[in-house]
Amino acid sequence: MRSILFSAAVSFAVFTQAGCAQEGPALDREQLLEDLRILAADDMEGREVATEGNARARAYIIERLEGIGVGPVNGDYEHSFTFSLPRNPDEDITGVNILAQIEGTSDSERTLVVTAHYDHEGMRDGQIWNGADDNASGVASVLAIAADFVANPPEHDVIFAFVDAEERGLQGARAFVANPPIPVENITFNLNMDMVAMSQDRILWAVGTYHYPFLVPMVEEVAARADVSMPMGYDEPTEEPGGDWTLLTDSGAFHVAGIPFIYLGVDFHPHYHQPTDTYENMTLDFFQDASAAIVDFAREADERLDEIGEAAGR
């Protein structure tokens, strides 16, 4: 996540203090922590794209989806794509997105796409870069959303996209948007999670309302119920390095295609893109409360999806 290490002061529209809101929806907090711990474990070897550790993480995510009861998209959870990097344009690298879906209870064609990248930086000089916050945490929170929607079916279709090769330039998200499993015009909103487990200040940023101001009431509604602070910001054009996160994570690929998004994530911290980004260094109480707010956000997005689509002309 986010290729520039910089923390900028950002103005925001809403800042709900933690502890002042009503309790969010039920969440299996032990399973949430177990998912984070397993995906960030040493045997995943940092989950770098096209490695055995990445494949092990993918197998675990698919096993969890099957256990939750979320089916695959078009008969298969695994959807491969190829890309190359500027430094070696003749070498094709194969990434694999994991796609799952839940059918909505209505006959609407509008679809909510929930994303989190499961890859990370792998190993360097024999040292594992575990990527607990970046982004085992986002994957765990999306699995929690999936479990909630299975227990309480959504009104609209929901696609869960665990995308690969984000650390190599949002490659999995770009592949999804370029070749979506449904008509792209049916994708009404993208909710993206990237780094949601490490915040001493208990702040979960909501990014995207500068571009889509009609989403402000939804953020305000969820923030009022959250047990973490959910300010809006980090999405306005600026010359400050790292001050605009719009295109620095997977939701950027959806934004480029004109699809409204909200990206939920924490600020930069000392463990970002370091081998110290481990389960043991996460703020686990915050992570659990943030994930409860994330599940609530997904529920609110489903309830407002027709409203979002109308405002966006989708």
Side-chain angles (χ1 to χ4, degrees):
M1 173 219 173
R2 301 201 293 263
S3 58
I4 302 172
L5 181 54
F6 186 87
S7 181
V10 180
S11 61
F12 50 82
V14 173
F15 194 101
T16 301
Q17 292 295 330
C20 297
Q22 67 189 55
E23 187 176 347
L27 176 73
D28 188 338
R29 292 176 176 244
E30 291 186 5
Q31 182 65 63
L32 182 79
L33 295 184
E34 183 74 351
D35 289 337
L36 176 63
R37 184 189 64 79
I38 289 174
L39 288 166
D42 284 352
D43 62 358
M44 297 296 180
E45 298 180 328
R47 308 185 307 277
E48 184 178 7
V49 61
T51 64
E52 292 182 3
N54 179 281
R56 281 192 287 273
R58 187 164 65 250
Y60 177 76
I61 295 167
I62 292 171
E63 180 183 7
R64 286 281 291 119
L65 289 167
E66 291 174 335
I68 291 168
V70 185
V73 169
N74 295 335
D76 200 340
Y77 289 106
E78 297 184 297
H79 297 255
S80 62
F81 60 93
T82 60
F83 66 98
S84 60
L85 298 174
R87 65 175 179 266
N88 196 354
D90 295 328
E91 178 186 358
D92 284 340
I93 302 170
T94 299
V96 183
N97 289 338
I98 305 165
L99 305 184
Q101 64 183 351
I102 295 176
E103 292 186 3
T105 57
S106 75
D107 59 1
S108 173
E109 293 184 345
R110 288 187 170 125
T111 301
L112 166 64
V113 176
V114 181
T115 52
H117 75 91
Y118 70 93
D119 68 297
H120 190 55
E121 293 286 350
M123 300 180 66
R124 298 183 183 183
D125 299 322
Q127 190 170 31
I128 300 170
W129 292 49
N130 300 81
D133 197 23
D134 189 9
N135 185 36
S137 65
V139 171
S141 68
V142 173
L143 289 171
I145 294 171
D148 182 73
F149 276 151
V150 167
N152 306 282
E155 179 182 349
H156 300 88
D157 292 351
V158 180
I159 292 177
F160 301 96
F162 302 87
V163 293
D164 201 359
E166 188 269 357
E167 301 288 3
R168 299 297 175 261
L170 319 186
Q171 299 295 338
R174 290 177 176 178
F176 178 93
V177 173
N179 187 28
I182 61 173
V184 70
E185 59 268 21
N186 291 355
I187 301 175
T188 305
F189 179 65
N190 169 233
L191 176 60
N192 181 54
M193 272 61 66
D194 194 350
M195 295 175 56
V196 298
M198 176 61 204
S199 176
Q200 298 287 357
D201 297 326
R202 296 180 57 82
I203 296 173
L204 183 70
W205 286 92
V207 179
T209 55
Y210 171 82
H211 304 287
Y212 307 100
F214 52 83
L215 297 176
V216 168
M218 178 169 62
V219 177
E220 291 177 333
E221 183 75 18
V222 177
R225 296 192 293 260
D227 284 329
V228 298
S229 297
M230 294 184 67
M232 294 179 261
Y234 279 123
D235 49 12
E236 298 188 36
T238 177
E239 295 182 0
E240 294 289 346
D244 182 359
W245 299 350
T246 301
L247 300 178
L248 300 186
T249 183
D250 296 301
S251 44
F254 291 83
H255 174 61
V256 169
I259 298 167
F261 75 93
I262 288 291
Y263 151 44
L264 300 176
V266 301
D267 207 339
F268 297 108
H269 53 74
H271 305 299
Y272 166 68
H273 276 200
Q274 297 295 323
T276 56
D277 185 5
T278 62
Y279 177 86
E280 292 76 15
N281 285 330
M282 297 299 98
T283 49
L284 297 179
D285 287 345
F286 164 79
F287 172 51
Q288 292 173 93
D289 290 340
S291 295
I294 287 166
V295 171
D296 190 23
F297 204 110
R299 179 67 55 188
E300 190 73 25
D302 171 54
E303 292 177 359
R304 294 175 179 253
L305 202 62
D306 291 329
E307 174 187 325
I308 293 170
E310 291 169 6
R314 300 188 67 81

